[in-house]
Amino acid sequence: MHTSPLPIFVSGLVARGFGRGSKDLGIPTANYSADVVKNLPTNLEAGVYYGWAQIENGEVHKMVMSVGWNPFYKNTVKTMEIHILYKFEREFYGSLMKVCVLNYLRPEMNFPSVDELISAINSDVSIASKELDKPEFLKFREHEYFQV
């Protein structure tokens, strides 16, 4: 049963990750540093979530986020990786990223192949994109958190 405290609002600088999102998966992610991840609510379950993200004071975009240890890659450190549903023209390492995490999508899982992992992520993106169009989630795009 999912019991994570939502919504949550997180901000911090975009840090370099493992470089797998863009290179291995074709699904770029913006990552938070270990310090930001350590400050997440202790009862935020590992898994996939969706919500909204903003880089610096730019436009607010849909996002899908993985929190956990990425069992496919056997990570030993908990990460928070955000895939923003927007094609940026440049890298933005070191930029301020704000996210509003709204809903839990699924638990963290392992996959037998990279193709199955990519398929699951694409499914997550599709579901999240549709869900974020619902009024109860869409209203958070204009939340005061993104206006400051």
Side-chain angles (χ1 to χ4, degrees), residues 12-22 27-34 36-37 55 65-66 70 75 79-84 92-95 97:
L13 301 182
V14 176
R16 289 201 180 269
F18 297 104
R20 299 182 293 231
S22 293
I27 303 166
T29 60
N31 303 294
Y32 280 122
S33 69
V36 173
V37 177
I55 304 298
M65 175 186 84
S66 169
N70 299 317
N75 288 4
T79 62
M80 183 177 184
E81 302 177 54
I82 293 90
H83 174 60
I84 300 173
F92 46 86
Y93 295 113
S95 297
M97 178 170 60

Side-chain angles (χ1 to χ4, degrees), residues 33-44:
S33 69
D35 288 338
V36 173
V37 177
K38 286 178 192 170
N39 288 314
L40 291 173
T42 56
N43 58 343
L44 185 71

Side-chain angles (χ1 to χ4, degrees), residues 31-100:
N31 303 294
Y32 280 122
S33 69
D35 288 338
V36 173
V37 177
K38 286 178 192 170
N39 288 314
L40 291 173
T42 56
N43 58 343
L44 185 71
E45 298 173 33
V48 178
Y49 295 81
Y50 58 87
W52 298 99
Q54 178 185 48
I55 304 298
E56 294 298 338
N57 291 317
E59 190 176 339
V60 179
H61 300 285
K62 295 174 179 179
M63 68 84 177
V64 175
M65 175 186 84
S66 169
V67 175
W69 292 267
N70 299 317
F72 182 79
Y73 289 106
K74 298 174 178 54
N75 288 4
T76 57
V77 176
K78 187 175 185 179
T79 62
M80 183 177 184
E81 302 177 54
I82 293 90
H83 174 60
I84 300 173
L85 308 188
Y86 179 79
K87 173 95 168 102
F88 289 90
E89 295 302 317
R90 61 177 179 79
E91 293 182 344
F92 46 86
Y93 295 113
S95 297
L96 178 66
M97 178 170 60
K98 293 180 180 179
V99 298
C100 171

Side-chain angles (χ1 to χ4, degrees), residues 9-10 16 29 38 46-47 54 56 64 86 95 97 102 104 112 116 119 123 125-126 128 130 132 134 137 141:
F9 298 89
V10 181
R16 289 201 180 269
T29 60
K38 286 178 192 170
Q54 178 185 48
E56 294 298 338
V64 175
Y86 179 79
S95 297
M97 178 170 60
L102 292 173
Y104 179 82
E116 289 181 62
S119 178
S123 175
V125 167
S126 177
K130 289 177 186 136
L132 286 164
K134 293 181 176 178
F137 299 125
R141 185 176 189 189

